Amino acid sequence: MTLCTVLLQILLPTLLLVSAITGADASGIGVNYGTRGTTLPAPADVARFLARDTIFDRVRLLDADPVLLRAFAGTGLAVDVTVPNGVVPHLLNLTFARRWVRDNVTPYAGATNISRLLVGDEVTTEANRTLLLALVPAMQNLHTALVAASLHGRVKVSTTHSLGVLTTTEQPSAARFRDGYDAAIVRPLLRFLRATGAPFMVNAYPFYALANDSSLDFALFRVNDGVMDQGTGLVYGNMLDAQLDAVHSAVRRMGFGDVDIAVSETGWPSAGEDWEVGVGADLARDYNSNAIRHLGSGVGTPLMPNRTFEVSIFSLFDENLKPGPVSERNFGLFRGDMTPVYDVGIFTDPETLEPVRAKVTSRKWCVPEPAADEMVLQENIDFACGQKGVDCTAIRPGGVCYEPDTVQAHAAYAMNLYFQANGQHAFDCDFGQTGIVTTADPSYGGCKFM
Ligand SMILES: *[C@@H]1O[C@H](CO)[C@@H](O)[C@H](O)[C@H]1NC(C)=O
Ligand SMILES: *[C@@H]1O[C@H](CO)[C@@H](O)[C@H](O)[C@H]1NC(C)=O
Ligand SMILES: *[C@@H]1O[C@H](CO)[C@@H](O)[C@H](O)[C@H]1NC(C)=O
Ligand SMILES: *[C@@H]1O[C@H](CO)[C@@H](O)[C@H](O)[C@H]1NC(C)=O
Ligand SMILES: *[C@@H]1O[C@H](CO)[C@@H](O)[C@H](O)[C@H]1NC(C)=O
């Protein structure tokens, strides 16, 4: 074990706990609030819960949903709004950018503390030329539109990057931006961020860099031998520091070492496939609480010492509608009914969870099993919607529950209608063992589940 890791082990628990509780830095600790789940609580309850009962002072929305923007009104939480990738090319048109701000920002900015517009998600690693070339001009046009609306003082424009935008993260000091991107995309991007005072935002996941069990200690901020950067001789005690220093090295190499770096996403799944290394509730708890403590501690990283970092945990909720391996649906701190997935003592005062839990009534709803097969769910929709007393207009195009247009979401709506119409017996929610009865209201936005 190196001196560095010994010091980290001794100093971190005390230093960091204090800073995490007092919130080291205004708007320093955020959470990503995604909504791809069938049983998530009402946005207003979520907003109240975050503002009142957690240490989070920032929230990132993964789109510009007006229901969510309104929910955070009056909470004071700094809200980062994501401009969906599909909108980015349209923003090359300044008139469109002005309208986008007029429709999606201005109406809410009075009461909701909109702090940033994040233009697209991981566009720089999307391998989509149209998007990539539109990115920086789109950001500039949004900024121009914010200036016209006199909102640019409060609302900054940035974008999020995956670590895939770097060529190497093996030696933090050797990292640089991918060839072909550096001059064409990254330089104008950094110039824009510097000019407008916005941070370079990175989604950093030590979880995805785990090679095998022996790198687990390094990733989880546990005692380990540390890893020396051959270029600088600096020893890294954890993987997140190495990832952030890699970003810093690449940014500095372009001549923009003064542009701030913020962590727009980091997290760890509590469950996963058999073949996924390092998944588990205890590990997720350790990673998330250690990452928050460490980045809020003021220790900094080897290349960026003595500073705190803004960090947003991914994610607030487990989201059962997300595609991909099991881990993708299990990054949440909380389940849909607001119960913690693991002991999140660091994030909340457990006593104050009660008022939120109390909102869960004895009413019952029927929703699909998260793992249910889509073909079977489609059959459930066809069956339920064909029954007397079941009106599926809401999930047809133009209906209030049409979005998200996924089989799971539509099945949840249809299966629940059938369940309610037939008297809420457990067997009315069986659907060949693809349905489950829940006490958490699956309603969202304007889509109300009866
Ligand atoms: C709004 O968020 C910013 C961070 O972007 C924070 O500094 C400010 O205090 C917040 N405003 C209010 C009214 O809470
Ligand atoms: C690139 O992204 C745009 C905007 O999201 C989309 O319309 C287009 O289909 C994408 N192109 C490819 C080749 O995926
Ligand atoms: C620019 O956007 C505006 C508003 O959406 C639209 O009316 C106009 O046709 C667009 N111009 C071009 C050249 O696409
Ligand atoms: C585990 O991964 C680390 C870091 O990538 C590597 O140095 C080490 O050799 C690997 N160990 C085994 C047993 O594969
Ligand atoms: C960081 O803080 C330590 C302890 O206060 C101090 O010794 C060191 O010089 C500082 N480093 C920088 C780069 O400011």
Side-chain angles (χ1 to χ4, degrees):
M1 190 167 32
T2 63
L3 179 61
C4 179
T5 45
V6 174
L7 279 179
L8 276 179
Q9 290 303 321
I10 297 170
L11 287 177
L12 285 190
T14 23
L15 274 178
L16 304 181
L17 196 57
V18 170
S19 62
I21 287 166
T22 56
D25 182 30
S27 28
I29 307 172
V31 67
N32 285 269
Y33 176 12
T35 54
R36 295 169 76 181
T38 34
T39 60
L40 301 186
D45 290 343
V46 174
R48 205 174 312 124
F49 169 66
L50 287 180
R52 204 173 54 187
D53 301 329
T54 74
I55 59 168
F56 297 114
D57 48 20
R58 174 175 288 279
V59 64
R60 173 181 169 213
L61 310 182
L62 300 177
D63 53 19
D65 184 342
V67 175
L68 300 192
L69 281 169
R70 240 179 250 123
F72 284 95
T75 61
L77 262 81
V79 177
D80 287 2
V81 174
T82 306
V83 181
N85 284 5
V87 174
V88 174
H90 299 292
L91 293 167
L92 290 173
N93 173 343
L94 181 58
T95 310
F96 184 95
R98 287 215 168 103
R99 280 205 191 159
W100 199 89
V101 166
R102 192 192 67 194
D103 295 345
N104 297 281
V105 182
T106 313
Y108 311 105
T112 301
N113 191 7
I114 300 178
S115 162
R116 286 191 198 115
L117 303 183
L118 300 179
V119 183
D121 184 38
E122 301 189 347
V123 166
T124 47
T125 42
E126 266 279 300
N128 179 324
R129 211 178 138 73
T130 311
L131 268 181
L132 193 60
L133 294 179
L135 180 63
V136 179
M139 292 170 72
Q140 280 160 340
N141 278 348
L142 273 180
H143 177 72
T144 304
L146 288 167
V147 171
S150 302
L151 287 169
H152 59 295
R154 282 171 48 194
V155 187
K156 302 292 176 194
V157 177
S158 189
T159 183
T160 60
H161 305 268
S162 84
L163 286 175
V165 73
L166 306 179
T167 48
T168 170
T169 48
E170 287 286 307
Q171 302 285 337
S173 65
R176 51 191 176 76
F177 288 103
R178 272 155 63 160
D179 293 333
Y181 286 43
D182 43 5
I185 311 291
V186 179
R187 191 182 306 282
L189 174 67
L190 288 167
R191 211 178 278 134
F192 171 83
L193 296 177
R194 174 188 276 164
T196 57
F200 185 89
M201 305 199 64
V202 59
N203 298 342
Y205 286 95
F207 171 74
Y208 288 119
L210 281 177
N212 52 50
D213 282 333
S214 55
S215 46
L216 206 51
D217 291 341
F218 188 55
L220 288 170
F221 302 84
R222 289 176 182 159
V223 177
N224 66 89
D225 292 340
V227 175
M228 187 190 280
D229 181 319
Q230 302 300 326
T232 57
L234 292 168
V235 175
Y236 286 83
N238 70 79
M239 201 186 289
L240 185 58
D241 276 358
Q243 293 183 337
L244 292 181
D245 276 359
V247 173
H248 174 71
S249 300
V251 168
R252 195 175 50 183
R253 182 164 279 120
M254 306 279 301
F256 293 85
D258 55 311
V259 171
D260 194 24
I261 291 170
V263 181
S264 36
E265 291 178 18
T266 194
W268 198 283
S270 62
E273 310 276 359
D274 293 343
W275 48 264
E276 296 189 272
V277 176
V279 290
D282 290 353
L283 306 186
R285 177 201 60 209
D286 290 355
Y287 177 78
N288 284 329
S289 46
N290 286 337
I292 287 187
R293 286 172 179 166
H294 179 53
L295 296 183
S297 71
V299 169
T301 68
L303 287 179
M304 297 178 278
N306 297 356
R307 56 157 294 180
T308 59
F309 291 89
E310 177 193 311
V311 56
S312 288
I313 297 297
F314 190 95
S315 183
L316 183 55
F317 293 114
D318 280 347
E319 294 173 71
N320 63 332
L321 297 181
K322 294 184 79 171
V326 171
S327 56
E328 282 288 320
R329 293 178 281 289
N330 289 281
F331 271 85
L333 300 173
F334 297 93
R335 300 189 190 89
D337 63 1
M338 291 281 210
T339 56
V341 176
Y342 36 83
D343 172 16
V344 283
I346 181 171
F347 307 115
T348 61
D349 175 354
E351 310 251 332
T352 55
L353 268 173
E354 246 8 89
V356 177
R357 281 204 193 127
K359 292 204 186 312
V360 179
T361 64
S362 57
R363 291 172 60 195
K364 289 184 290 187
W365 292 266
C366 174
V367 295
E369 267 285 344
D373 186 78
E374 284 204 1
M375 269 168 54
V376 180
L377 292 182
Q378 186 60 53
E379 287 168 13
N380 295 351
I381 297 173
D382 298 342
F383 167 77
C385 295
Q387 302 303 307
K388 241 180 67 187
V390 177
D391 175 5
C392 289
T393 319
I395 53 172
R396 310 257 186 254
V400 285
C401 303
Y402 179 66
E403 297 290 348
D405 179 15
T406 64
V407 174
Q408 282 89 346
H410 289 181
Y413 189 83
M415 288 161 67
N416 180 59
L417 274 186
Y418 178 83
F419 174 68
Q420 305 296 348
N422 286 283
Q424 301 190 341
H425 308 108
F427 56 79
D428 293 322
C429 182
D430 186 52
F431 292 98
Q433 299 182 359
T434 58
I436 43 175
V437 175
T438 173
T439 53
D441 187 351
S443 302
Y444 59 91
C447 175
K448 301 280 174 262
F449 279 56
M450 83 184 226

